[in-house]
Amino acid sequence: MSLPVTYVQVIEVARITPRTARITFRADELDASVGTSPDQQVKLCFPRPGQAAPVLPGPSEDATGWYRAYLAVPEPQRPWMRSFTVRQRRPGTEEVEIDFVLHGDTGPASAWAGRARPGDRLGMVGPSALYASPLSITSAAEAADWVLMAGDESALPAIGTLLAALPEGTRTVVFAEVADRAEEQPLPGPVGATVRWLHRDGAAPGRRLVEAVAAADLPPGAPFAWLAGEASAVRTLRRHLVEERGLPKASIEFSGYWRHRCTQDDAPTAEDLADAREKLAQVQVQVQVRAEAR
């Protein structure tokens, strides 16, 4: 299973909200699978200080081989690597749009995006089918009575692509937590989709989201739930849906995109590792169910 590796160049930078930059990249070579499915993640590689472009190892036939080559790059030259959702591929082009949440110079991705200009170059790895969920939003929505989505601003690109992929008429409820009213942004979706915006206004990340879902009078029936954002908030929401709302774990797709006061370079906690094991087990069950249905 090959893993695409390419350089991408900035061709356009737009502020869609005061704290969100939508950056359009043109790839040297873009895999045909990019932009063909919702909630599709790639890894962007950022240059170290003094580098005009990041140092990239060559492509590999598998994800682990590429990662070994990445780790073999001497640390002072090894690029910082962060995961992002493809917001959109421009039809018929080698161009992709990716949204960046800007939170100052507290991380390499935000610092780079805040100063990005046309001509700047990054590396892009993926997408990889190895990390794609076998449960599509379309099949999940068709099997459920309605769809629940909940996330913070880091999840909005994925939520946007998922909403656009839902069958017309799908009853959908979205809870979206952002810093304040100015961070709200247009989202696509089927007619009748309800989007409830939650403003942190200085509260801890995820607090408004957890409180709103826990207090909500949700529609009747069995939903499919999709949760993403700050890891501890996602964990709390999932526990609430399972233990207090009675949702089966198999009907919840979840991802902790980031951790409050931690970076992706920090070691995972015991709870992070437990989430990863459970997510892997859930994916294995989904694969088995699909195989038996064939």
Side-chain angles (χ1 to χ4, degrees):
M1 183 182 296
S2 62
L3 188 65
V5 180
T6 186
Y7 280 102
V8 293
Q9 180 171 301
V10 176
I11 60 172
E12 185 180 323
V13 180
R15 287 288 182 93
I16 60 172
T17 74
R19 295 183 181 90
T20 304
R22 179 163 294 166
I23 300 181
T24 304
F25 298 92
R26 180 180 292 120
D28 289 356
E29 183 179 355
L30 201 59
D31 189 84
S33 66
V34 176
T36 60
S37 60
D39 193 14
Q40 193 174 62
Q41 291 195 12
V42 296
K43 293 185 181 297
L44 295 181
C45 297
F46 297 85
R48 293 278 186 165
Q51 295 177 336
V55 176
L56 295 181
S60 170
E61 288 303 310
D62 60 83
T64 56
W66 185 90
Y67 193 64
R68 287 194 298 270
Y70 166 79
L71 292 177
V73 177
E75 188 171 356
Q77 287 82 46
R78 188 187 306 150
W80 289 294
M81 189 163 59
R82 297 292 185 266
S83 298
F84 287 85
T85 301
V86 175
R87 186 62 183 84
Q88 176 179 276
R89 179 175 184 164
R90 293 184 172 178
T93 73
E94 302 290 287
E95 299 170 5
V96 293
E97 297 174 357
I98 295 179
D99 291 354
F100 291 74
V101 178
L102 305 177
H103 45 81
D105 289 347
T106 57
S110 176
W112 178 89
R115 295 186 284 270
R117 298 292 183 271
D120 291 349
R121 286 170 67 80
L122 295 181
M124 188 173 81
V125 182
S128 171
L130 183 65
Y131 301 110
S133 170
L135 186 65
S136 74
I137 186 67
T138 301
S139 61
E142 290 175 347
D145 295 317
W146 60 283
V147 173
L148 168 67
M149 297 185 194
D152 58 26
E153 50 267 83
S154 69
L156 291 181
I159 289 174
T161 64
L162 291 165
L163 284 171
L166 285 173
E168 197 59 46
T170 303
R171 187 173 188 179
T172 310
V173 180
V174 179
F175 291 85
E177 179 188 285
V178 293
D180 52 40
R181 186 177 299 276
E183 291 305 302
E184 296 181 14
Q185 57 180 268
L187 291 173
V191 175
T194 300
V195 179
R196 182 176 173 187
W197 291 99
L198 309 165
H199 307 142
R200 261 191 313 278
D201 291 329
R207 177 181 170 185
R208 305 292 190 207
L209 190 64
V210 170
E211 291 175 343
V213 174
D217 184 12
L218 298 177
F224 166 72
W226 185 94
L227 316 172
E230 200 281 322
S232 63
V234 169
R235 192 176 297 121
T236 301
L237 279 173
R238 182 168 175 264
R239 188 179 301 120
H240 164 74
L241 292 176
V242 172
E243 297 178 359
E244 298 179 41
R245 301 278 189 172
L247 269 67
K249 290 182 178 180
S251 68
I252 304 173
E253 185 76 16
F254 66 100
S255 293
Y257 282 170
W258 63 284
R259 297 175 294 166
H260 189 39
R261 297 193 176 93
C262 294
T263 74
Q264 289 188 20
D265 301 316
D266 293 324
T269 65
E271 288 183 314
D272 294 330
L273 293 173
D275 285 349
R277 287 192 296 269
E278 188 158 359
K279 190 169 180 64
L280 177 59
Q282 180 175 327
V283 169
Q284 291 170 337
V285 169
Q286 292 170 358
V287 170
Q288 181 64 31
V289 168
R290 291 189 65 179
E292 293 173 352
R294 289 174 182 169

